[in-house]
Amino acid sequence: AQKVTQAQTEISVVEKEDVTLDCVYETRDTTYYLFWYKQPPSGELVFLIRRNSFDEQNEISGRYSWNFQKSTSSFNFTITASQVVDSAVYFCALSEAVGSQGNLIFGKGTKLSVKP
Amino acid sequence: NAGVTQTPKFQVLKTGQSMTLQCAQDMNHEYMSWYRQDPGMGLRLIHYSVGAGITDQGEVPNGYNVSRSTTEDFPLRLLSAAPSQTSVYFCASSYWQGGYGYTFGSGTRLTVV
């Protein structure tokens, strides 16, 4: 069955530290999509990235980078030089073309606290 | 502004009361869905719809009803609220299932006392 595991429940770092949020997924589909969302204290869900299963290229966007490895079924998210504004809950999610009928399956989230 | 609009933002219900959470989108998205978010549980799918007149159950459908009479609207009904339904509810829409990113509403915080 499809599943997304975010083993880190909470992470606390000091500003300017680098931090990696782990995401491991399970799927039987060959076509699937992986997402990261940010939920700041205000509560809304902010889309960060979408990756399809055929594109294993790593991606960098400013201080954010994502490492997608099909061999280990992982889609990890790294924040470089963290800032207080990065404090939020981060969700990894999976969408399968067939198995989940396209619906998003979320991990339980990782709460990141960045202290000044 | 185009997007997904959820109303109300906050609601307190008494056990046994009924209510409807509204969700509307103006992006002509065929796919819409409802999720609930509970502490430590992530977001779990309640119901979804792939188009007007078509709905299906998600992971946690018990206690909730939905209908989709138009492309724009996808209301979520609680027929007899229970304290276990205290949660934050998010509505989402997309052009189609999977693939493209989803647009989420700002959420409804529901408390059942």
Side-chain angles (χ1 to χ4, degrees):
Chain A
Q2 60 277 102
K3 188 179 179 182
V4 176
T5 302
Q6 294 181 256
Q8 304 149 309
T9 305
E10 292 192 38
I11 300 176
S12 182
V13 299
V14 176
E15 209 170 18
K16 297 184 183 178
E17 281 188 38
D18 298 348
V19 58
T20 296
L21 309 182
D22 298 332
C23 174
V24 174
Y25 63 92
E26 295 177 27
T27 179
R28 294 179 181 171
D29 280 29
T30 55
T31 302
Y32 55 89
Y33 304 86
L34 296 164
F35 301 79
W36 276 96
Y37 285 87
K38 174 182 180 180
Q39 187 176 46
S42 53
E44 73 274 20
L45 287 163
V46 178
F47 168 77
L48 296 178
I49 190 172
R50 174 182 64 90
R51 250 311 178 243
N52 74 59
S53 53
F54 301 107
D55 182 3
E56 286 192 75
Q57 275 195 334
N58 292 331
E59 182 155 338
I60 298 174
S61 176
R63 297 184 296 106
Y64 294 171
S65 63
W66 291 269
N67 182 274
F68 177 25
Q69 291 195 336
K70 289 178 74 171
S71 60
T72 56
S73 297
S74 64
F75 187 44
N76 296 337
F77 172 32
T78 297
I79 301 174
T80 302
S82 59
Q83 299 177 2
V84 173
V85 294
D86 295 326
S87 296
V89 179
Y90 291 87
F91 291 100
C92 181
L94 165 71
S95 172
E96 300 165 314
V98 176
S100 72
Q101 299 174 19
N103 295 305
L104 283 172
I105 301 160
F106 284 86
K108 294 184 178 181
T110 296
K111 182 178 181 180
L112 174 65
S113 299
V114 182
K115 302 186 187 309
Chain B
N1 290 336
V4 177
T5 302
Q6 286 185 241
T7 56
K9 292 191 182 303
F10 301 95
Q11 183 71 49
V12 179
L13 283 180
K14 293 183 179 179
T15 297
Q17 285 186 318
S18 63
M19 80 159 295
T20 299
L21 278 62
Q22 301 291 345
C23 176
Q25 52 91 9
D26 57 3
M27 297 171 284
N28 204 31
H29 285 172
E30 289 295 326
Y31 173 84
M32 296 184 74
S33 56
W34 277 101
Y35 290 84
R36 60 176 288 173
Q37 181 181 11
D38 302 295
M41 297 297 293
L43 282 81
R44 294 178 293 169
L45 182 67
I46 305 172
H47 284 286
Y48 65 98
S49 168
V50 299
I54 306 169
T55 63
D56 206 344
Q57 297 180 351
E59 179 186 356
V60 288
N62 292 342
Y64 307 96
N65 280 351
V66 292
S67 60
R68 184 95 178 270
S69 56
T70 66
T71 300
E72 294 77 21
D73 300 298
F74 190 43
L76 179 70
R77 298 183 187 85
L78 285 71
L79 297 179
S80 179
S84 61
Q85 294 178 303
T86 294
S87 187
V88 180
Y89 293 84
F90 287 97
C91 180
S93 74
S94 175
Y95 279 112
W96 53 282
Q97 290 174 279
Y100 291 91
Y102 297 72
T103 301
F104 280 87
S106 58
T108 296
R109 184 173 293 274
L110 175 67
T111 301
V112 182
V113 298

